[in-house]
Amino acid sequence: MIARRLISLSLQSRVLTSSLRVMSSIPPPECLFKEMNIPNRQLFGPGPSTMPQVIGASQAQPLLGHLHPEFVEIMSQCRLGLQYVFKTRNAYTFAVSGTGHAGMEAAILNLAERGETILVAKAGIWGQRAADLGRRLGLKVEVVEVADGEIVPVRALEEAATRVKPALIFVCHGESSTGIVQPLEGLSKIAHDNGGLLLVDTVASLGGAPFDMDQLNVDCVYSATQKVLNGPPGLAPISFSDRAIQKIKNRKERVASFYFDALELGNYWGCDGEMRRYHHTAPISSVYALREALAIIAKKGIDNLIQQHVDNATAMYNQLGEAGLSMFVNKKEDRLPCLHTIKVPEGVDWKAVQSSLFGQGIEVAGGLGATTGKIFRIGTFGQNSEPVKAKEVVNKFIQVVKEQSKL
């Protein structure tokens, strides 16, 4: 009797499975029956950067719930680590779930309201993106623009701010499309004297160039995890000053996005001292990775890390100069120490250089936007700025460029 029931159940199971197969109008993709192809590549482009094994291993740890006490503790440790690297005591310091671009959107959405003016310092593609986002949000957009490879003069921003009285001034500290590092001294005073706030993009520069949020009196800064932090992309560290939080609390209208609402996010991350409310399910494994990335920086020391990038950059300039190659940004003091832009020599096929290095397991990028075809971009973010490692990659780059120039 039992045997008959088992046979009957087995037949029913087969019929059910068969009917499910018949019901599916889309066959399973053949590619999903094969293993993924993930080569071990050295990422010396503009990001993401090469990820240390300890950070990658953290993502294989067991998942926790997004409000489990152990995970909340890891979030709190990340907040402290982000305050350390941003050099701030701002309570509202946390990470937005999303890439660096999510940081830009969260910042502008919260800090400016429809009809207000945003003043954008445009020295490359990221100023262009900020201006475009401002228009999409119904802001009045004023742009101070310079040629690629140049920094925006502080005087030009002051004149524009005095004229248009912006609610927000946007500046990209490290412009990854051109390789400049924008001076920030005096900008907060210009913003505040004209009734506005200062917003700084440090996606490509945080940890690789000097930056002190509190000393510079910056109102909001955001970054990303996949550059100097050497983590996977997927989180956007961000910090709001008390002045910025007051502006958000006194808005005429609520922030249009619930997902990017800084006050809601701040509560979830434990910034306001109130009981945490469910906001969204955080990318648990990415937060693990951020915590490990911040631990590496804490053990090395943020100032030591920045100095390593500065020293390494000087060595690279000499190394490239001796090979007859020219930097895209003329003045050394205007160059971003962790992302180096080199002019493509006349007669050299930049795509062929990139392809050759790719074949050797090394990524080096071409330009972005208006600089496409004009420059190479070599990123020495985080562990990639270790002198021996960086020198070896640059030597291979020089060798390939020389080979191409002879063809």
Side-chain angles (χ1 to χ4, degrees):
M1 187 71 176
I2 295 174
R4 286 180 181 178
R5 284 186 178 180
L6 289 173
I7 292 170
S8 175
L9 288 171
S10 176
L11 288 171
Q12 289 177 27
S13 176
R14 289 180 185 177
V15 170
L16 180 60
T17 303
S18 177
S19 64
L20 287 173
R21 286 176 181 169
V22 172
M23 287 172 61
S24 178
S25 61
I26 306 295
E30 290 293 330
C31 61
L32 296 183
F33 292 91
K34 303 174 183 177
E35 294 293 324
M36 289 188 291
N37 176 32
I38 305 176
N40 187 10
R41 188 166 289 141
Q42 296 185 71
L43 303 180
F44 275 81
S49 57
T50 306
M51 184 167 62
Q53 187 175 2
V54 66
I55 297 177
S58 71
Q59 295 187 284
Q61 294 296 315
L63 284 177
L64 294 170
H66 53 278
L67 285 173
H68 284 188
E70 299 88 352
F71 182 64
V72 167
E73 174 58 27
I74 292 170
M75 293 173 74
S76 297
Q77 292 173 9
C78 286
R79 286 188 60 232
L80 291 172
L82 291 174
Q83 288 175 325
Y84 173 68
V85 296
F86 279 137
K87 297 189 177 182
T88 184
R89 297 190 182 279
N90 292 335
Y92 279 78
T93 302
F94 54 91
V96 177
S97 297
T99 60
H101 217 304
M104 175 189 285
E105 301 219 4
I108 297 177
L109 268 166
N110 280 274
L111 297 177
E113 296 196 63
R114 183 176 293 274
E116 291 184 332
T117 299
I118 180 173
L119 174 60
V120 175
K122 181 179 178 296
I125 196 170
W126 300 114
Q128 180 181 320
R129 290 279 182 91
D132 178 62
L133 178 58
R135 296 185 185 100
R136 289 169 183 253
L137 296 175
L139 305 179
K140 298 173 185 175
V141 178
E142 183 77 17
V143 178
V144 176
E145 184 175 358
V146 293
D148 292 329
E150 296 182 6
I151 61 171
V152 179
V154 173
R155 180 62 181 166
L157 287 172
E158 184 175 22
E159 291 173 354
T162 302
R163 176 168 47 83
V164 302
K165 303 296 181 185
L168 189 63
I169 297 179
F170 170 88
V171 177
C172 182
H173 185 220
E175 176 52 73
S176 62
S177 68
T178 63
I180 64 101
V181 60
Q182 176 66 40
L184 301 174
E185 290 77 8
L187 293 185
S188 62
K189 186 177 187 305
I190 293 170
H192 299 160
D193 285 352
N194 290 282
L197 301 171
L198 176 63
L199 167 61
V200 179
D201 175 322
T202 63
V203 168
S205 61
L206 183 66
F211 178 80
D212 188 319
M213 183 176 190
D214 286 357
Q215 189 176 74
L216 291 165
N217 212 10
V218 172
D219 294 297
C220 182
V221 60
Y222 64 88
S223 192
T225 48
Q226 74 273 17
K227 308 281 188 175
V228 174
L229 271 61
N230 291 150
L235 288 172
I238 196 167
S239 183
F240 294 89
S241 70
D242 290 343
R243 185 192 296 257
I245 291 299
Q246 281 305 118
K247 167 70 186 288
I248 297 169
K249 289 181 176 179
N250 294 328
R251 288 174 59 98
K252 298 172 186 175
E253 297 181 355
R254 298 177 72 188
V255 176
S257 168
F258 178 80
Y259 190 73
F260 287 140
D261 188 317
L263 300 182
E264 295 289 345
L265 283 167
N267 170 267
Y268 175 49
W269 276 85
C271 302
D272 59 8
E274 298 179 9
M275 182 178 291
R276 297 181 194 232
R277 299 183 297 273
Y278 167 71
H279 179 262
H280 71 291
T281 302
I284 312 294
S285 300
S286 295
V287 176
Y288 296 168
L290 172 59
R291 194 271 182 197
E292 289 305 293
L294 292 169
I296 290 172
I297 294 176
K299 291 168 186 174
K300 185 177 185 65
I302 183 63
D303 293 318
N304 292 333
L305 180 62
I306 291 169
Q307 191 60 50
Q308 177 175 292
H309 284 86
V310 172
D311 293 343
N312 180 67
T314 299
M316 281 189 63
Y317 302 152
N318 294 334
Q319 191 178 356
L320 291 163
E322 289 171 2
L325 296 172
S326 302
M327 303 303 295
F328 183 66
V329 180
N330 290 325
K331 295 181 180 178
K332 180 181 176 181
E333 61 269 25
D334 294 344
R335 298 172 189 163
L336 184 59
C338 50
L339 181 63
H340 318 283
T341 50
I342 303 105
K343 292 180 181 178
V344 176
E346 188 174 348
V348 170
D349 183 347
W350 69 271
K351 288 184 179 180
V353 172
Q354 185 183 48
S355 178
S356 178
L357 287 168
F358 218 63
Q360 299 179 50
I362 300 170
E363 181 205 24
V364 166
L368 179 65
T371 60
T372 300
K374 298 178 181 179
I375 63 173
F376 295 106
R377 293 184 296 160
I378 300 179
T380 53
F381 297 114
Q383 67 169 1
N384 285 355
S385 68
E386 294 170 5
V388 174
K389 189 179 296 184
K391 184 176 182 179
E392 180 183 353
V393 168
V394 172
N395 276 335
K396 289 182 179 179
F397 167 75
I398 291 170
Q399 181 182 350
V400 172
V401 170
K402 286 183 175 180
E403 289 171 356
Q404 284 294 321
S405 65
K406 296 174 183 177
L407 295 180

